[in-house]
Amino acid sequence: GAGVSQSPSNKVTEKGKDVELRCDPISGHTALYWYRQSLGQGLEFLIYFQGNSAPDKSGLPSDRFSAERTGGSVSTLTIQRTQQEDSAVYLCASSPPGYSHPAYGYTFGSGTRLTVV
Amino acid sequence: EDKVVQSPLSLVVHEGDTVTLNCSYEVTNFRSLLWYKQEKKAPTFLFMLTSSGIEKKSGRLSSILDKKELFSILNITATQTGDSAVYLCAVPPSGNTPLVFGKGTRLSVIA
């Protein structure tokens, strides 16, 4: 596609339920990032996939959070047993190979606004 | 720990004013500093700065880096209501780890 696509754009869920957020990166982009942005806060890094390497999960806030990337393309972020503090905008970004640092070529999706009630 | 601090956190100005947004950073192995504009959800890239003292300019927006004092400023002249957004500053830390972002400056331009 022309850009990074995220779905759903909005999700309201009850506390304790599981949710799945999807990110479809730009075709050919090898790096994929998930960030979280809580109200009034900056972007908090969650997880990073680069090609076929093991993902960098150092930003995941708890073991309720997990992500996978199938076939080096689409990624799914799963939050189990959601809590109210999980309410935030979840942003995905991808970047192509060929930069001196993969972060330089970031293109962001429009995000998923998650509200846990 | 790599860190980015932006100030002010929010700012309200009138159309036509000039604003200066600040970003200070601490990073072990500096390579660059990036500015993004976030209007609704998706941040969009504005500038990447790598060298001290060289101004990057795009229309009414400009930015400069001071690697000695570890900060950057983003200037917007003759502000318009369309400039209302959150402006984010970010640095890539060591290795291939993802960008570290500041909390952003929320700019509101009123007519």
Side-chain angles (χ1 to χ4, degrees):
Chain A
V4 178
S5 178
Q6 290 189 246
S7 61
S9 55
N10 287 285
K11 175 74 177 177
V12 179
T13 190
E14 290 181 354
K15 180 180 169 182
K17 301 272 190 184
D18 298 352
V19 294
E20 283 190 353
L21 312 180
R22 176 187 167 106
C23 173
D24 202 339
I26 292 172
S27 178
H29 280 199
T30 53
L32 186 148
Y33 314 81
W34 284 98
Y35 283 83
R36 175 170 75 172
Q37 188 175 31
S38 303
L39 189 64
Q41 300 297 310
L43 274 66
E44 175 191 1
F45 163 68
L46 296 177
I47 188 169
Y48 159 47
F49 297 89
Q50 172 63 290
N52 295 321
S53 303
D56 176 354
K57 303 180 183 180
S58 59
L60 294 178
S62 77
D63 59 8
R64 297 186 295 105
F65 288 73
S66 63
E68 61 178 26
R69 188 179 185 191
T70 52
S73 181
V74 172
S75 177
T76 303
L77 176 69
T78 301
I79 309 172
Q80 296 178 308
R81 305 181 303 282
T82 51
Q83 304 293 312
Q84 286 185 327
E85 61 262 27
D86 300 333
S87 297
V89 175
Y90 289 80
L91 288 163
C92 174
S94 68
S95 66
Y99 283 75
S100 58
H101 187 286
Y104 292 166
Y106 272 32
T107 299
F108 281 93
S110 294
T112 294
R113 182 178 300 279
L114 175 66
T115 304
V116 182
V117 296
Chain B
E1 183 183 332
D2 300 315
K3 192 164 70 171
V4 177
V5 178
Q6 292 187 246
S7 64
L9 291 181
S10 66
L11 189 56
V12 180
V13 300
H14 289 94
E15 270 191 318
D17 287 351
T18 293
V19 297
T20 298
L21 311 182
N22 303 291
C23 174
S24 64
Y25 62 89
E26 291 177 25
V27 61
T28 305
N29 180 22
F30 179 84
R31 279 176 285 185
S32 66
L33 183 145
L34 296 91
W35 284 96
Y36 287 83
K37 179 182 182 182
Q38 185 179 27
E39 290 182 82
K40 300 229 189 257
K41 290 184 192 170
T44 54
F45 173 79
L46 292 175
F47 299 112
M48 183 171 77
L49 303 157
T50 55
S51 301
S52 268
I54 297 175
E55 185 182 57
K56 291 276 182 100
K57 198 169 170 66
S58 176
R60 295 175 295 100
L61 277 67
S62 64
S63 184
I64 199 160
L65 176 69
D66 185 328
K67 287 164 74 172
K68 183 179 174 188
E69 300 298 329
L70 308 182
F71 77 92
S72 173
I73 59 171
L74 175 69
N75 278 320
I76 309 175
T77 59
T79 51
Q80 302 171 358
T81 53
D83 296 326
S84 296
V86 175
Y87 291 84
L88 296 163
C89 176
V91 293
S94 303
N96 282 332
T97 49
L99 290 175
V100 174
F101 284 85
K103 290 188 176 182
T105 294
R106 180 174 295 279
L107 175 66
S108 299
V109 182
I110 55 179

